[in-house]
Structure formats: structure tokens, C-alpha cells
Amino acid sequence: MKEIRSFINKRVISKLSLVIMISGSLLSGCSSSEQVAIDNSQSEVKNPPNILWIYMEDQNPWNNAWGDDTVDTPNIQKLADSGVMFTQVYQPAPVCSASRSALVTGQYQTTLNLQDHRSFRSGYNKQFLPEGYKTVPELFVEAGYQTFNIGKDDYNFSYDRSRLYNAHDGIAGFQGAQDGSDFNWASKLKNKPFFGQLQLKGGKHTHFEGKNVPEVDPNEMTLPPYYVDAPATRKEWAKHYKTQVVSDIELAEIIDTLKANNLLENTAIFWFSDHGMGMLRHKQDLYDGGLNVPLIVNWPAGEQRLNQHGKVRADLVSGLDIPATSLALAGIDVPESYDGRNLFADKLAPRKYVISAKDRMDFSFDRARTVRSENFRYIRNFHPEIPRSQPQFRDKKPFSIEFKQAFEAGTLTPVQAEYFAATKPAEELYDTANDPHQINNLVDNPDYSKVLKEHRQVLLDWIAKTDDKGAYPESDRAIKETIDLWGKKCVSWQCDSFRKRHPDAEGVKGDDYYDKMPWPDYMPKPKKPYYDKIEQIYRKSFQ
């Protein structure tokens, strides 16, 4: 039986022996005694590289480069062998819109009030970035780059897309991977430096016909102990391996496109995912399975610079380091407000902690924060009264139905049944080195009281320093927007309270119930018709 190693970093332990990196502190989450200077200074770049983000959805690092041989992913292996791979990368959120909002702004989503999934998408409920704030693509535009994003934006703020992406309009679809744009980026931009994003469906691929993807036998999967061992769960787990093969094929096609246009040598490729795979306890949860993603950086012309700290790196990395490093490699100053750091700085500042956040997910209201250190994960659940199994978007998935049926039948193990507990613990602490599945909560173990206090204080300091906006309740307009998006599926007390307090809003769209929010003087509403399409596309997708 093949061992599935999924997101567990023990898969690469033999490779990690090549490089032992010192983990270090996250500046914004440390006490003053732990702070270290961040070297984001830039040296002059004579021939600015192209920067290309190959940006997958919902994918954990289950591939050959990470030591998992369940399926063949030779192109991912080649990219890693000739580049630098990072094994301890954790995104700032376990869901796409919050994670993507953080990476495109370079700052924690919770600092800019962008933390709630699929928020600020209507004319009556908007969030604007502060005046003068520059997103990552805007900084590239100012530096003379051509910028584009093919597939999916999914940002929780209102923006003029032409300011971010100047190479083409590129109407962004709800789901996306080069889906519908006839923009030939490689040939059109091969004589100009570009910052581009290619969105790949990653773990969201569901159709594999005609893609030369071999079958993966669900019966050969070894499931983690927190899942019921049942057919639909095995099938979904096996499917994620098939998506790895598709991502590998798509990577090869992109590499071939770069080669055909003589772009590969001076293009810095960042290959990564927005968060973990779509099953329960992965996506939308704060365990490693939801936050740990693959990251490979490959730049042939800059090989010496990339390799200075090793080719297989186990130092802690935040997803926010991806935009900071991208700017740094292009010789663009990283704004002081950005929360990431240059992973290839000559004087690499160590990181001791990575912080991530969970807030409202679709119509499921919640708030939790996590601190990941080298060997521990601490989670603070601010609403322990809300069960993990509250209604959510996967309830009708076969693996979710199967799981719930097993719980109702009383056939789950205590570890599996924990998902259906009426409450959550207020705090969780896991020894990730010895408990990679994160199922043995050490909060009440006196042997770990010092570790618990350390991580708890790091989080409290971070919340205060960054003014974590998740601490503030969502507005009525935001709740109405959630009801407009999800209708009767929203059964949280927030939605119920809104319905009771605003009975006249029942059956009335928010656009007709509230006045439109004006765009600020520093950012007039875009006049191109594509903006209205972008504003409407998310709501239409859910109705």
C-alpha cells in the first residue's frame, strides 16, 4: 500500500538534511527582545527579470519534489532541482479571497479589513485601500513593468483593475486558470519586463478526460486518522493526487511557452498555491493541511543569488514573503508597510513565527488565529461555542455526507468524532514534530505550559500591533451582502439577527435596500464596462 504523506513535512526529511536553516521571528508578532532587522534593501538590477507567479488553487505539496511518489510529477521535480524549494511555507489564510487579498497587497488581510471571505463585492458594501497605498502590481507598474493576471483576482476590496494590470483588461472569472482570455502574454511582452500571474485550478480540477492523467486507486490511499475510512473520502483523497498530475502538465506547458519565446533564462518563477486542498480540516481550517503550501522559486539567470542560502530550505516562510521577494528580485523597494521579507536577502533575517487567520468563510461566521513555530502550532478559537461542523459550503459533498452519517451511526473514533463536537477548545497547541496530524491537544499538559504562554503572548502582541480588524463585528451591510450571496444557507445568529431587525429587507436585494457607497476622490470608479462585470460575477455565480 502506498503511503500518502500529504502535507506532512516528514516526507522531505532526507532532503532537508542537506540544508538546516535557522528559524526566526516574525517581526510583527514578537516582543521587542525578539525583533531582528529585516533586510529588504535592494541592489541595482541591470537587467530586471520578469516575475511570473504560477498560482494554483487548493493544493497541498503532494508531489515528487516533496518526497511523495504516489503519482509522477517530473516537471515539478525538475523545477525544484534547478531552483529553490521551501518546505515550511504557510499562507496568511486557509481560503482563497483572504489569502489572495493579503498577497496582492503585501500585508496581512486582517490589517486592511480584508479578512472575511468573499466580502465587499457589491455596490452598497465596499472597502477601499488607504489613500496612497500601492498594491504589488502597482509597484511593478511604477517601475516600468507590464503587468497581467490571467484567471482569478478574488480580492476583498474595490479597485480599478486597470491600475493593477496594465497589459490587458483580462476580465477575471470566478474560477480561473487561463480561462477565456486570448491574451498571448509571452509573445506580446517578450521585449518588455513583466510581472504576470497565471492562475491554475490546482486542487479544483474535477475532469481529467483527455489530459493523460493515470488513475489513482482510492483503495491504495492511507487516510489521516481524523477522517473516516469510507469510499467517498478515499475517492476525494485520490482525486487530489490526480490534480497534482494536471498541475505538473500545466507547468510543463508554461515552461515550454517561456522557452519558445526566449524568456525562461531571465524569468523568476514562483510556483505556489493559495492554500491547502478542499477537504474538511484542510481548506478553511488553521491546521497545516489548510495552510502549508508548496513553493519553488526558479530563476536561471539568478541561480547564484537564489542558491546562497541553500536549494532545499526548511526555514519558516509566510506567504507574504512571496510578494516581498518578488519585488526585491526586480530591484524594487519593498514598502515598510509590507509584512513580508526578501527570502534571498544577503543578510537573511530569521523568522521564528508565522501567523495566519480564519474569519467568516462564505456564510459560516467564525474567528480564529494561529501561530506556527518550528515545532509547534498554537490556535486561538475566539468562538469556541461555534462547532467546527457548523453549516458550510461542503455539506452536500459526498465525503461530508459520508462523514456525518458515520458520526450519527456512532462508528467514528474519538479523534474523528471531535470534528462534530458541540464546541471547540478555546486554545489548541500541537507538537508538530511528533504529532504531524495535529490531533493531540497539549493545552492542558503542564509540560508544555511555557510553550503555550510563549505562543499565546506572540499572538496577543500581534493582534494589538496590527490592529487585527477581525476583532470588530461586520456591519449590517456586510451581513446583508452575505445573505444576498448565500440566501437561506446562512443560518448563523448574525444573519438571523439581521433578518429580525430588518424584516423589510426580506426578499429585497441589498442594491435596492441600501444606497450605493461612493468611490473616494483618490480612486474614482472605473468607467470601463468590465468593472461592472467583475462586480456582478461573484453574486451571479451563487444564485
Side-chain angles (χ1 to χ4, degrees):
M1 181 177 289
K2 294 183 180 178
E3 287 293 326
I4 53 91
R5 287 163 285 256
S6 71
F7 53 87
I8 306 169
N9 286 315
K10 289 175 70 176
R11 294 175 304 169
V12 292
I13 202 70
S14 61
K15 290 188 176 184
L16 298 188
S17 63
L18 300 174
V19 181
I20 301 176
M21 301 302 301
I22 302 174
S23 65
S25 68
L26 173 62
L27 179 61
S28 57
C30 312
S31 65
S32 58
S33 63
E34 293 169 329
Q35 291 179 0
V36 292
I38 298 176
D39 179 12
N40 278 334
S41 60
Q42 313 311 325
S43 56
E44 182 180 354
V45 178
K46 295 181 179 180
N47 186 19
N50 304 308
I51 306 294
L52 183 63
W53 289 4
I54 303 177
Y55 207 154
M56 298 174 292
E57 296 199 78
D58 298 38
Q59 202 144 64
N60 287 115
W62 301 4
N63 58 66
N64 298 166
W66 267 256
D68 193 327
D69 297 323
T70 303
V71 293
D72 291 330
T73 55
N75 300 296
I76 297 171
Q77 183 70 66
K78 289 177 184 176
L79 191 74
D81 289 344
S82 59
V84 178
M85 61 179 285
F86 297 83
T87 63
Q88 293 268 38
V89 182
Y90 302 95
Q91 290 289 18
V95 72
C96 44
S97 72
S99 178
R100 290 167 181 273
S101 296
L103 266 65
V104 80
T105 61
Q107 198 167 12
Y108 284 109
Q109 69 278 11
T110 50
T111 302
L112 296 169
N113 197 31
L114 313 177
Q115 67 276 356
D116 294 301
H117 185 37
R118 298 270 148 72
S119 55
F120 304 114
R121 307 300 174 94
S122 64
Y124 61 88
N125 185 47
K126 290 191 171 298
Q127 177 72 38
F128 298 96
L129 298 179
E131 184 173 4
Y133 196 97
K134 299 295 183 181
T135 63
V136 174
E138 286 176 296
L139 292 172
F140 274 101
V141 169
E142 287 188 348
Y145 273 68
Q146 295 291 297
T147 60
F148 65 89
N149 182 28
I150 298 177
K152 179 177 182 178
D153 291 358
D154 209 6
Y155 308 146
N156 293 330
F157 57 93
S158 297
Y159 56 103
D160 182 345
R161 199 173 195 272
S162 65
R163 293 189 181 190
L164 277 66
Y165 303 114
N166 62 2
H168 75 136
D169 285 349
I171 297 172
F174 169 59
Q175 304 293 352
Q178 307 179 57
D179 55 352
S181 173
D182 57 1
F183 174 63
N184 193 334
W185 56 273
S187 63
K188 184 175 180 179
L189 303 178
K190 62 182 179 182
N191 296 318
K192 307 172 184 177
F194 64 77
F195 166 61
Q197 300 175 56
L198 299 178
Q199 309 293 339
L200 306 182
K201 289 184 179 179
K204 287 184 176 176
H205 276 291
T206 56
H207 302 291
F208 305 97
E209 298 80 7
K211 295 181 180 178
N212 196 29
V213 177
E215 288 299 319
V216 178
D217 188 353
N219 294 320
E220 292 190 5
M221 301 294 99
T222 302
L223 297 173
Y226 47 77
Y227 285 151
V228 61
D229 189 349
T233 302
R234 285 183 166 277
K235 183 178 179 180
E236 190 70 18
W237 197 262
K239 188 191 79 174
H240 195 62
Y241 276 108
K242 296 175 74 172
T243 70
Q244 302 281 337
V245 177
V246 179
S247 293
D248 187 74
I249 294 170
E250 291 174 332
L251 172 61
E253 292 170 351
I254 295 168
I255 296 297
D256 287 345
T257 298
L258 290 168
K259 288 179 179 178
N261 289 277
N262 297 316
L263 293 170
L264 183 62
E265 181 69 15
N266 199 34
T267 296
I269 297 171
F270 289 73
W271 182 85
F272 63 97
S273 175
D274 56 0
H275 53 76
M277 58 98 80
M279 291 183 70
L280 301 172
R281 220 177 179 270
H282 285 237
K283 182 176 182 176
Q284 299 196 357
D285 268 314
L286 294 178
Y287 304 105
D288 280 9
L291 295 166
N292 181 218
V293 299
L295 172 62
I296 298 172
V297 184
N298 188 300
W299 177 22
E303 182 178 9
Q304 184 174 356
R305 181 176 181 183
L306 297 192
N307 291 347
Q308 62 179 320
H309 301 298
K311 288 182 61 63
V312 180
R313 290 175 50 176
D315 43 325
L316 286 171
V317 172
S318 167
L320 290 166
D321 296 336
I322 294 171
T325 303
S326 299
L327 291 166
L329 293 184
I332 302 171
D333 288 335
V334 181
E336 291 185 5
S337 61
Y338 278 29
D339 291 311
R341 60 190 61 194
N342 177 10
L343 295 171
F344 302 108
D346 293 336
K347 298 178 180 178
L348 185 64
R351 182 187 288 280
K352 193 174 181 181
Y353 310 105
V354 174
I355 294 178
S356 305
K358 171 181 178 175
D359 294 271
R360 176 173 56 76
M361 301 288 176
D362 304 310
F363 52 87
S364 306
F365 286 74
D366 206 347
R367 179 180 176 233
R369 302 290 180 264
T370 184
V371 179
R372 182 63 154 88
S373 59
E374 182 179 11
N375 292 316
F376 293 94
R377 179 171 292 285
Y378 168 77
I379 299 174
R380 174 70 166 94
N381 293 305
F382 290 91
H383 294 286
E385 76 281 3
I386 299 176
R388 294 185 179 93
S389 58
Q390 69 163 314
Q392 46 88 27
F393 83 102
R394 288 164 292 201
D395 285 345
K396 292 185 178 181
K397 299 283 188 181
F399 60 83
S400 292
I401 295 172
E402 178 180 77
F403 199 17
K404 187 174 182 180
Q405 289 174 340
F407 171 71
E408 292 172 345
T411 59
L412 296 182
T413 68
V415 168
Q416 295 163 357
E418 182 68 20
Y419 180 79
F420 296 97
T423 61
K424 302 188 294 284
E427 294 180 293
E428 302 173 59
L429 180 68
Y430 301 100
D431 178 351
T432 56
N434 296 302
D435 178 24
H437 293 295
Q438 291 143 67
I439 57 177
N440 181 24
N441 189 358
L442 301 171
V443 162
D444 295 326
N445 188 326
D447 293 341
Y448 294 88
S449 60
K450 184 177 179 180
V451 175
L452 174 63
K453 291 176 182 178
E454 172 195 342
H455 288 69
R456 179 191 292 152
Q457 191 60 50
V458 166
L459 182 61
L460 290 173
D461 290 347
W462 177 86
I463 288 172
K465 182 167 185 173
T466 64
D467 188 22
D468 180 356
K469 301 300 190 300
Y472 307 101
E474 288 194 77
S475 68
D476 272 1
R477 286 177 181 249
I479 295 171
K480 175 57 176 169
E481 186 179 45
T482 302
I483 294 174
D484 278 0
L485 278 169
W486 296 101
K488 294 181 180 179
K489 290 182 179 180
C490 186
V491 295
S492 67
W493 72 261
Q494 290 89 342
C495 289
D496 287 344
S497 173
F498 180 92
R499 293 182 181 111
K500 291 176 182 177
R501 290 182 290 107
H502 300 278
D504 56 333
E506 186 70 26
V508 179
K509 289 293 183 182
D511 296 293
D512 299 321
Y513 191 76
Y514 289 111
D515 292 334
K516 285 186 176 293
M517 293 186 68
W519 287 65
D521 292 339
Y522 64 85
M523 187 184 293
K525 181 178 178 179
K527 297 186 181 298
K528 292 185 177 181
Y530 75 79
Y531 179 77
D532 291 326
K533 292 182 181 180
I534 291 174
E535 189 173 89
Q536 293 294 326
I537 196 167
Y538 295 91
R539 286 185 280 177
K540 288 181 179 178
S541 296
F542 290 110
Q543 301 306 316

